Amino acid sequence: MQFFLDILLPIPLERLFTYRITEQEATIIQPGMRVAVPFGRSKIYTGMAFRVHQDAPLAYEAKEIYQILDDVPLVNQFQLKHWAWIANYYMCTLGEVFRAAMPGAFLLESETLILPNKESQIDELSLKDDEFLVFEALRHQSALKVGEISGIVDKKNVLPLVNRLVQKGVVLQKEELYEQYRPKLVRYVTLGEIYTSEEKLEELLQELSRAPKQSQVVLSLFQLQAETKKPIKVSDLEKESGSSHAVIKALIDKGVLEEYYIRTDRVNHGSESSNVGDVIFNEHQNKALAHIRTGFQEQKTVLLHGVTSSGKTEVYFKLIQECLEQGKQVLYLLPEIALTSQMINRLQQYFGSKVSVYHSKYSIHERVEVWNNVLANADKAQIVIGARSSLLLPYKHLGLIIVDEEHESSFKQFDPAPRYHARDAGIVLAKLHEANCILGSATPSIESMENAKKGKYAYAYMAQRYGNVLMPDINLVDIKEATRKKRMKGHFSETLYLAIAEALEEGEQIILFQNRRGFAPIVECTTCGHAAQCPNCDVSLTYHQHRNQLRCHYCGYHMALQNACQACGSHTLDKKGFGTEQIQEELKELFPDAAVGRMDLDTTRGKYAYEKIITAFEQQEMDILVGTQMVTKGLDFRNVGLVGIMNADTLLNFPDYRAHERSFQLLTQVAGRAGRTQKRGKVLVQTYNPYHQILQQVSTNDYDKMFAEQIYEREQFKYPPVVRIIKITLKDKDFNKLNEASEWLASSLRNVLGHQVLGPEYPPVGRIRREYLKNIIVKLPKRVAVDQTKNSIKRIEKTFNAISKYKSVRLVYNVDHI
């Protein structure tokens, strides 16, 4: 009897692939295990076992699997259901979700090894120069990797060369699977077994009296064992005894000491913890907690709407403690990696070593360890805190999901697929586990508030800051008037300049927000008006003074700053606009005694860069912090007295139906960083249009008015939450072909879906990485069956892909586009 296995591969194809297995393998393999399988001509991929059955595939001859990689499933049934929902809802393939979810170290792919062909007779004179170099290298080495051959012949593309050598019979190709994850082993020592009796020990010490360094090591070992009552690390023994590695090795070789290794995780969080019960809740927190518990009893998602600094985090901690007492796991989702470092410290204070962290700044080894701890329901993974990818971990007993700052657009994945929204996918995951889900924000998204008003979500509100601290005093500064009256110091109005000087005098810290990194977004020739453009994208290059470079923020292209205009040769180059770098420079000139820090994508590239900047600001090593959106997101600094927003208009004048909602959220959030202790904070918003309705609403903290106006506009113009939106982006390097293909697709969609199809239109940036883009928007009224519409779109896509001249055009789906 033959057995077959359906395998899920981490590739963007809709279907599963069937492989042949033996009867014995059929008894071992369970769904969720990793299996290495041959795919294509010679490549070996890591797939996931999906289903064992006895139905042979009709279209092709099933190959045998290469190797079973796991003893137990790495992926559980809850995950598979959740992945299937993500793939279906966000119109991507299950393979793409699989690749996004699994840490890279789990997805082993084979490496091609080039071996010498010992059986063939080779005429060395017939070989070309580059072929001879490889042939010569293989005389001295048993095998070469493709990357090594590239280094030998000094070429990037060496596959044609390898193919020529294979055809001439000089070399053979072999695929080799490499395990990327290596556990961290820590070296420990203990006294040799033969020296456990007192007589032997006395003999040893007398013997070592002639070797004082070795004697010191043994005495230090006794001392450490008496103090710690724990296994002794070699590194600790070296430190305590002041001896070298060689002395300890000599004692191990003699058998005086015995070495052994213990497997440890690369990231270990502290073990001290205090009780959440120590926190005294105010009446607003108690009331909100009661509303949340009622919502949980009704099995509803709860929206917690609390003004900035109202004590939402303490409410979360109370709910986490209750969940842990029931023996269940907690997922704490944050929109930004910058926030995790501050939140980890707070979670550790309360919950000690029960906390695990998972996000993209962690190495693949660290992510594998967190995955394994969550899978095993280990004590150190009872609380998982992380960015959106932590949603895809293998939870078994999930009891609570907290989505903090739920309004944040960072929760939406943009590229690559799956383009899921962590908030919405988190609500679905909670339902699968029958867990509670809470969404928290000071400025909830329009969709979440609409759901709360309709009774779909339970609602809890905290209107007062903790400790009755006053909300910050928000003032709008008219820079149009200040510029006209020549009262500007660089990009600082006189009002903001004096406020910074006053705050510094009083020993308070300042946050300045400018939503653009770099020094200047445009370098323009004042003679002919030419501005340096990116050759790959339809955008101007941004000047970065630190590197003296012009850089593209879309594709990473960069060039040195030119001394003369590339169009007319004139030396009159002018820098237009301003970014965080320029603000930092101006501050150093205006306030030479102040320590100025910067927090943007350029300064936070390293693994611990966020942590270093946030810690330095917390410990008041910096007086002023200049930053992009990163500084707005839920950070808690106790000594910030002033927040300055350099130019609010760049947020408002954006071609997007959410621009006003986002502006309100961003400005309110950044304002909320001010005055979080007893003294009332001050916020200054510089703008050319102080009478704009959104800025007026921010200054009075009037969320309800903003919500009412936005929901009215969305109803008038048919935008979410009134309708659902699917954005279809077409990409191709050929401009004319893209136009033709997009028109064909739009008219086909209109034939099936009617007038709810908008476009095709070019986005604000019409070309990125040498590919032209065109968007088609499909609006789905709430009464329309979403699955049916998606199936119709997929059917049209199949017809589209069958047209040979459109083969190179890529389609990208973005469901619930934000």
Side-chain angles (χ1 to χ4, degrees):
M1 191 180 281
Q2 281 195 315
F3 286 87
F4 296 93
L5 175 66
D6 284 345
I7 293 273
L8 173 64
L9 289 173
I11 53 177
L13 293 175
E14 293 280 355
R15 43 178 299 193
L16 301 172
F17 293 86
T18 306
Y19 286 81
R20 198 165 65 246
I21 54 172
T22 63
E23 193 171 342
Q24 187 192 358
E25 285 169 339
T27 58
I28 296 167
I29 294 171
Q30 299 172 50
M33 280 184 174
R34 289 177 308 147
V35 181
V37 293
F39 187 75
R41 284 183 188 172
S42 60
K43 203 86 173 137
I44 294 169
Y45 274 95
T46 302
M48 190 183 71
F50 211 79
R51 186 172 70 98
V52 176
H53 57 89
Q54 292 175 335
D55 308 323
L58 301 172
Y60 56 91
E61 181 72 29
K63 295 178 183 176
E64 288 186 0
I65 65 168
Y66 182 78
Q67 188 180 341
I68 301 170
L69 297 171
D70 296 317
D71 300 326
V72 292
L74 272 187
V75 174
N76 62 38
Q77 291 306 307
F78 285 117
Q79 262 178 306
L80 287 174
K81 281 180 189 169
H82 192 226
W83 291 2
W85 178 84
I86 289 174
N88 178 48
Y89 187 81
Y90 291 103
M91 296 176 77
C92 62
T93 65
L94 198 53
E96 286 172 316
V97 184
F98 174 43
R99 180 172 273 285
M102 297 295 266
F106 281 146
L107 298 174
L108 315 183
E109 286 181 14
S110 60
E111 176 138 35
T112 306
L113 293 182
I114 311 302
L115 312 172
N117 188 352
K118 290 174 181 171
E119 291 174 13
S120 67
Q121 293 294 317
I122 292 141
D123 177 12
E124 293 180 20
L125 296 172
S126 68
L127 298 177
K128 293 181 181 176
D129 290 351
D130 53 358
E131 293 170 355
F132 183 76
L133 285 171
V134 177
F135 171 68
E136 191 62 28
L138 283 168
R139 280 181 171 174
H140 306 288
Q141 277 177 265
S142 57
L144 289 170
K145 293 176 186 173
V146 172
E148 290 169 339
I149 292 175
S150 186
I152 290 166
V153 298
D154 197 23
K155 276 184 191 171
K156 276 189 179 176
N157 184 13
V158 292
L159 291 179
L161 164 63
V162 173
N163 290 337
R164 287 202 311 268
L165 287 167
V166 171
Q167 283 163 10
K168 289 180 180 180
V170 179
V171 298
L172 301 169
Q173 281 178 279
K174 183 188 171 192
E175 292 294 317
E176 189 79 20
L177 261 190
Y178 288 96
E179 179 68 72
Q180 294 179 46
Y181 171 66
R182 287 189 182 85
K184 184 183 177 185
L185 299 173
V186 178
R187 195 162 155 239
Y188 288 82
V189 282
T190 185
L191 200 63
E193 261 185 68
I194 54 168
Y195 299 108
T196 47
S197 65
E198 281 190 32
E199 305 98 60
K200 288 279 184 188
L201 195 57
E202 214 167 299
E203 276 177 42
L204 172 67
L205 291 169
Q206 281 177 350
E207 191 187 317
L208 291 179
S209 59
R210 293 189 299 279
K213 284 187 178 176
Q214 292 185 358
S215 176
Q216 180 59 44
V217 169
V218 174
L219 291 169
S220 296
L221 181 68
F222 291 146
Q223 194 179 337
L224 283 169
Q225 281 174 334
E227 283 172 7
T228 62
K229 305 272 192 287
K230 285 179 182 175
I232 308 303
K233 288 182 192 173
V234 172
S235 55
D236 290 348
L237 184 58
E238 276 182 31
K239 204 173 175 182
E240 183 67 28
S241 62
S243 62
S244 68
H245 188 71
V247 175
I248 293 172
K249 190 178 183 303
L251 286 168
I252 290 167
D253 292 343
K254 278 185 188 178
V256 174
L257 298 179
E258 284 179 9
E259 66 175 339
Y260 60 100
Y261 291 87
I262 295 179
R263 183 173 168 168
T264 37
D265 281 358
R266 286 169 168 82
V267 179
N268 278 308
H269 297 296
S271 55
E272 341 72 56
S273 62
S274 64
N275 195 350
V276 183
D278 300 343
V279 179
I280 300 160
F281 276 24
N282 63 24
E283 59 170 309
H284 298 286
Q285 286 171 311
N286 283 321
K287 204 172 169 185
L289 206 53
H291 284 304
I292 290 164
R293 285 180 181 142
T294 308
F296 286 169
Q297 281 164 8
E298 293 169 3
Q299 296 182 328
K300 284 183 177 178
T301 299
V302 179
L303 175 64
L304 174 59
H305 179 193
V307 297
T308 52
S309 196
S310 57
K312 293 187 290 293
T313 309
E314 281 70 26
V315 173
Y316 299 151
F317 286 2
K318 184 75 176 166
L319 295 168
I320 291 170
Q321 190 180 39
E322 289 170 6
C323 185
L324 293 179
E325 283 164 5
Q326 293 167 18
K328 293 189 173 179
Q329 293 168 304
V330 177
L331 169 60
Y332 197 130
L333 279 174
L334 288 164
E336 190 74 60
I337 297 167
L339 273 174
T340 52
S341 58
Q342 210 178 35
M343 196 53 77
I344 292 159
N345 297 334
R346 295 182 69 178
L347 279 166
Q348 273 168 13
Q349 284 171 8
Y350 288 125
F351 303 108
S353 58
K354 290 185 189 299
V355 183
S356 278
V357 185
Y358 192 84
H359 56 64
S360 60
K361 280 279 195 282
Y362 270 32
S363 72
I364 54 168
H365 297 299
E366 290 163 350
R367 278 186 266 174
V368 165
E369 284 162 4
V370 175
W371 182 287
N372 289 334
N373 287 335
V374 172
L375 185 67
N377 198 16
D379 198 47
K380 60 167 70 173
Q382 292 306 296
I383 302 167
V384 176
I385 179 170
R388 57 177 179 258
S389 56
S390 55
L391 193 74
L392 304 169
L393 287 166
Y395 302 100
K396 280 184 181 170
H397 304 288
L398 200 55
L400 177 66
I401 297 178
I402 296 165
V403 185
D404 200 8
E405 309 294 343
E406 65 84 28
H407 64 276
E408 275 293 342
S409 57
S410 323
F411 278 128
K412 176 78 168 158
Q413 163 81 0
F414 283 97
D415 268 319
R419 294 169 181 82
Y420 65 101
H421 198 300
R423 177 194 63 210
D424 301 341
I427 292 167
V428 172
L429 183 65
K431 290 228 175 356
L432 286 173
H433 282 270
E434 294 180 1
N436 295 320
C437 182
I438 182 165
L439 315 177
S441 176
T443 51
S445 63
I446 301 289
E447 285 87 344
S448 296
M449 185 54 86
E450 174 77 347
N451 283 332
K453 287 192 182 294
K454 285 184 174 173
K456 189 178 174 184
Y457 294 171
Y459 180 69
Y461 182 51
M462 295 197 290
Q464 291 278 321
R465 282 186 153 193
Y466 189 80
N468 291 327
V469 174
L470 290 169
M471 290 297 285
D473 176 23
I474 302 173
N475 291 302
L476 304 175
V477 180
D478 187 348
I479 47 176
K480 183 167 72 178
E481 191 66 16
T483 309
R484 191 173 65 79
K485 290 180 177 173
K486 296 190 170 65
R487 285 187 178 168
M488 295 288 287
K489 290 179 184 286
H491 292 97
F492 294 85
S493 62
E494 198 173 34
T495 315
L496 182 55
Y497 171 77
L498 293 171
I500 293 171
E502 191 184 324
L504 290 172
E505 212 171 284
E506 290 179 17
E508 292 175 341
Q509 289 173 292
I510 298 134
I511 289 177
L512 293 175
F513 167 66
Q514 168 58 10
N515 204 24
R516 204 185 267 278
R517 65 190 171 100
F519 188 88
I522 298 169
V523 176
E524 189 181 77
C525 171
T526 54
T527 306
C528 71
H530 174 266
Q533 298 284 315
C534 173
N536 309 320
C537 314
D538 281 350
V539 286
S540 59
L541 296 172
T542 302
Y543 173 52
H544 286 248
Q545 192 182 50
H546 172 62
R547 293 176 177 169
N548 199 36
Q549 275 181 347
L550 293 169
R551 293 187 76 87
C552 172
H553 289 175
Y554 284 87
C555 69
Y557 171 84
H558 55 86
M559 61 187 267
L561 177 68
Q562 306 298 303
N563 294 325
C565 172
Q566 290 174 304
C568 70
S570 168
H571 291 275
T572 56
L573 297 178
D574 186 25
K575 298 171 186 72
K576 295 279 175 83
F578 63 102
T580 47
E581 261 189 41
Q582 195 171 151
I583 297 301
Q584 190 181 16
E585 288 297 311
E586 284 185 14
L587 284 167
K588 284 175 183 172
E589 285 175 26
L590 294 171
F591 305 100
D593 299 332
V596 184
R598 179 160 56 92
M599 188 162 152
D600 55 27
L601 197 63
D602 299 320
T603 60
T604 54
R605 292 198 186 276
K607 183 175 174 182
Y608 300 108
Y610 288 108
E611 217 168 315
K612 283 176 186 168
I613 294 169
I614 290 167
T615 307
F617 195 64
E618 267 181 333
Q619 292 172 356
Q620 298 180 28
E621 291 167 23
M622 291 179 201
D623 300 311
I624 307 172
L625 181 63
V626 183
T628 53
Q629 286 187 36
M630 291 175 190
V631 297
T632 70
K633 297 179 182 179
L635 294 165
D636 185 18
F637 301 119
R638 313 308 294 171
N639 191 42
V640 174
L642 173 69
V643 167
I645 292 151
M646 298 307 298
N647 188 352
D649 306 305
T650 53
L651 300 168
L652 293 163
N653 305 326
F654 201 75
D656 182 5
Y657 72 93
R658 287 183 190 273
H660 287 181
E661 178 195 353
R662 284 219 185 108
S663 302
F664 181 89
Q665 288 164 344
L666 206 56
L667 296 172
T668 305
Q669 290 287 344
V670 74
R673 302 313 110 214
R676 293 172 77 91
T677 47
Q678 288 311 309
K679 192 183 171 195
R680 190 179 188 189
K682 193 174 183 183
V683 180
L684 294 175
V685 181
Q686 294 193 153
T687 172
Y688 286 97
N689 185 7
Y691 302 106
H692 195 289
Q693 59 183 25
I694 288 291
L695 298 180
Q696 293 292 332
Q697 287 155 11
V698 168
S699 67
T700 55
N701 198 32
D702 195 344
Y703 176 86
D704 293 334
K705 197 172 179 189
M706 183 278 294
F707 174 79
E709 279 183 9
Q710 288 304 306
I711 207 82
Y712 173 75
E713 282 184 15
R714 307 272 178 96
E715 280 168 355
Q716 294 301 305
F717 298 106
K718 302 285 182 287
Y719 277 106
V722 181
V723 297
R724 280 201 174 90
I725 277 186
I726 299 172
K727 184 172 88 165
I728 305 168
T729 303
L730 294 91
K731 300 183 176 185
D732 196 80
K733 289 182 178 175
D734 186 325
F735 180 78
N736 294 324
K737 191 196 290 181
L738 179 75
N739 282 333
E740 198 183 313
S742 59
E743 288 296 343
W744 184 96
L745 185 65
S747 62
S748 301
L749 288 167
R750 276 195 195 95
N751 288 340
V752 176
L753 305 175
H755 296 296
Q756 61 220 38
V757 179
L758 304 180
E761 276 299 324
Y762 291 105
V765 180
R767 186 174 62 117
I768 296 174
R769 294 188 183 91
R770 297 190 177 177
E771 285 190 315
Y772 292 98
L773 312 177
K774 257 194 157 177
N775 292 336
I776 297 169
I777 301 281
V778 180
K779 289 184 175 181
L780 308 178
K782 285 287 173 76
R783 64 180 183 277
V784 171
V786 179
D787 286 347
Q788 206 177 322
T789 308
K790 286 176 184 171
N791 290 337
S792 302
I793 294 170
K794 284 283 185 186
R795 277 200 301 276
I796 292 167
E797 185 195 358
K798 279 181 184 166
T799 313
F800 179 83
N801 290 335
I803 302 169
S804 57
K805 65 175 174 178
Y806 299 155
K807 229 175 192 122
S808 64
V809 181
R810 275 196 311 133
L811 293 188
V812 172
Y813 294 110
N814 194 337
V815 179
D816 293 344
H817 160 64
I818 64 166

